[in-house]
Amino acid sequence: MTTGYSALPPADDPFGLFAPVGGMVSFAVGAEDAAVERVVLPARADAAWAELAAARRGLQQGDGQLDHAIRRMTQVEARYQPGQIQMASFAASDMPAPELDLLHTLETLEMAAPEELAQLSRAQEDDLTRWEALVQQAQDKLAHPVQVKTQLGATLVGYTWMEWSGDFTTIFEDEVDSADKVIHHQAVELVLAKIMARLRLATVITSGAAQLIVKLSGPPGTQVFVVPAVLKYIRDVLAILRAQPDAPQF
Amino acid sequence: MADLKAAVQKFSQELADKLQTFINDVTVLEVRTFTTPHDQVKVLLDERPDIGEIATKGNVQLRAYTQIGFDGDATICLPTDENNEIDRSVWDIHQAIVAQAIGSRNAMLRTIGDAASSALGALQKSKE
């Protein structure tokens, strides 16, 4: 089985979107590029339910953290005044590190010293790859129906094919009991939520970068550095939130 | 880096196109629930089984069907067992899937609508 998406180390994944949720979902691409989401759960129902619940909690938490990151991104957009970045004063303030880092990048782009841009370009390579992978995933998802196959242990209990127009086709094995059908139903819901989260993340980064690009006063060509800078910003904010899951976020 | 602007525009345009497709396609919602015998389940293990083909071959049986029009009109086919009683084991989950389909379609429209709206803004700005 081949993987159709750029692989990134899970530790660097900004939202847990490339990595399995709770170790349960894997992505595969079939011969005709139709993405199939396989949800492989433990054979025991109670263990399967526990994994589904953990995955649901993880997604809800990730969604809340992304809301928080979006609010902070909006504040950065409002605060950024081209030509007026004063890193020394920002650094002396209590501005968090991700904001300082992003503003420093914007300041570098405004000054556009060739050697600094070259250094920035090298530093951003990985984040650019991440953004391209994220957007490619979103585009792939939009291009094909969503297919979900749920396994309890080695047993396939349900298969759902969902068109983007909302039509659902589901197949259950005759002998699958009602409780296992509900597990498949819940797994489909989780996969859909995960796809929506991925689309949201790709859009947040792209539109956030666009807001800054339109204000950036750097010379032509420097705008392309903003997208990976915004991805890094969102990734850094989410990493901090994930490291302090109990801290107040709103 | 040179292709980045094009990539932003492509992503934004595709979201906008997808939203248009949704608007064209959401007039009717269809939910189909099939069952298949244990010895036929292997056909589902293919990466991309052709539902129409395997249904024609008798590998799967359509047990419940719901069609809901944009105006709220619904067509429903109920599953029955050998005693001509409603087969609750299929019907209950089919109803849950119908509710899920309605909820998912609303969530997708909301997410894609928000995304397309943001992306269109990005598209405009990237063209400036």
Side-chain angles (χ1 to χ4, degrees):
Chain A
M1 193 173 297
T2 57
T3 299
Y5 305 122
S6 302
L8 292 170
D12 288 341
D13 177 7
F15 197 43
L17 293 171
F18 298 97
V21 174
M24 56 166 267
V25 179
S26 63
F27 298 93
V29 172
E32 297 177 56
D33 267 352
V36 177
E37 318 262 357
R38 285 182 190 277
V39 181
V40 182
L41 296 164
R44 281 184 45 189
D46 55 346
W49 276 111
E51 280 208 17
L52 283 171
R56 190 178 300 110
R57 277 195 305 275
L59 268 174
Q60 285 169 347
Q61 195 173 37
D63 231 18
Q65 289 167 351
L66 187 57
D67 285 339
H68 177 88
I70 291 169
R71 279 196 291 278
R72 281 173 63 168
M73 181 72 218
T74 307
Q75 288 169 3
V76 172
E77 288 163 15
R79 196 159 180 176
Y80 171 52
Q81 297 299 326
Q84 295 178 22
I85 295 179
Q86 295 172 318
M87 290 309 297
S89 66
F90 285 146
S93 72
D94 58 354
M95 187 177 280
E99 276 79 357
L100 277 176
D101 202 22
L102 178 57
L103 287 170
H104 175 67
T105 301
L106 295 172
E107 184 189 43
T108 302
L109 296 178
E110 284 182 9
M111 295 188 298
E115 63 279 7
E116 282 193 87
L117 287 182
Q119 196 178 1
L120 184 60
S121 178
R122 283 192 296 275
Q124 285 188 331
E125 266 177 33
D126 285 350
D127 282 324
L128 185 62
T129 304
R130 287 187 181 93
W131 180 77
E132 287 170 343
L134 184 62
V135 167
Q136 187 61 51
Q137 278 198 334
Q139 287 172 337
D140 287 348
K141 285 293 158 203
L142 288 171
H144 301 290
V146 177
Q147 295 182 73
V148 183
K149 292 181 181 180
T150 305
Q151 279 179 237
L152 296 181
T155 307
L156 180 70
V157 294
Y159 168 56
T160 288
W161 171 292
M162 198 203 74
E163 302 285 347
W164 281 96
S165 58
D167 292 349
F168 270 62
T169 298
T170 302
I171 305 177
F172 292 110
E173 190 198 320
D174 274 341
E175 292 163 25
V176 166
D177 66 29
S178 295
D180 290 349
K181 287 177 179 141
V182 175
I183 285 177
H184 171 67
H185 174 64
Q186 294 291 318
V188 171
E189 198 157 292
L190 263 180
V191 168
L192 290 174
K194 191 173 169 185
I195 291 170
M196 294 297 117
R198 186 185 295 136
L199 276 174
R200 191 162 170 243
L201 183 62
T203 307
V204 163
I205 292 165
T206 306
S207 60
Q211 296 291 337
L212 292 174
I213 285 171
V214 77
K215 291 170 87 174
L216 185 70
S217 61
T222 52
Q223 290 81 0
V224 296
F225 294 93
V226 177
V227 171
V230 169
L231 184 142
K232 181 177 183 304
Y233 170 76
I234 297 285
R235 190 160 59 93
D236 289 348
V237 170
L238 294 178
I240 291 168
L241 293 174
R242 276 209 300 261
Q244 303 168 312
D246 298 327
Q249 293 172 12
F250 303 101
Chain B
M1 284 284 192
D3 295 333
L4 193 59
K5 187 174 174 182
V8 170
Q9 289 181 349
K10 183 170 183 286
F11 177 54
S12 306
Q13 191 63 57
E14 285 187 5
L15 279 172
D17 291 347
K18 184 55 71 176
L19 183 62
Q20 186 61 50
T21 305
F22 280 172
I23 291 166
N24 294 339
D25 289 350
V26 295
T27 51
V28 175
L29 178 71
E30 290 183 296
V31 178
R32 296 177 178 84
T33 301
F34 294 84
T35 60
T36 186
H38 178 70
D39 62 357
Q40 297 294 326
V41 79
K42 62 182 182 300
V43 299
L44 302 179
L45 293 172
D46 291 344
E47 280 304 327
R48 192 182 182 186
D50 183 329
I51 302 295
E53 185 184 331
I54 60 179
T56 305
K57 287 180 179 172
N59 296 109
V60 295
Q61 277 190 306
L62 180 61
R63 300 298 310 283
Y65 172 76
T66 298
Q67 182 191 76
I68 302 171
F70 195 68
D71 54 4
D73 283 354
T75 302
I76 298 168
C77 297
L78 299 166
T80 53
D81 58 22
E82 57 273 17
N83 300 317
N84 221 23
E85 300 286 331
I86 292 174
D87 185 342
R88 304 296 314 188
S89 71
V90 175
W91 180 236
D92 288 349
I93 193 69
H94 177 76
Q95 285 182 299
I97 294 171
V98 170
Q100 182 181 50
I102 293 169
S104 297
R105 186 173 67 171
N106 292 342
M108 282 191 302
L109 279 169
R110 197 165 48 245
T111 302
I112 298 291
D114 290 348
S117 169
S118 299
L120 280 173
L123 182 63
Q124 287 297 114
K125 284 169 180 162
S126 68
K127 284 178 176 172
E128 286 171 359

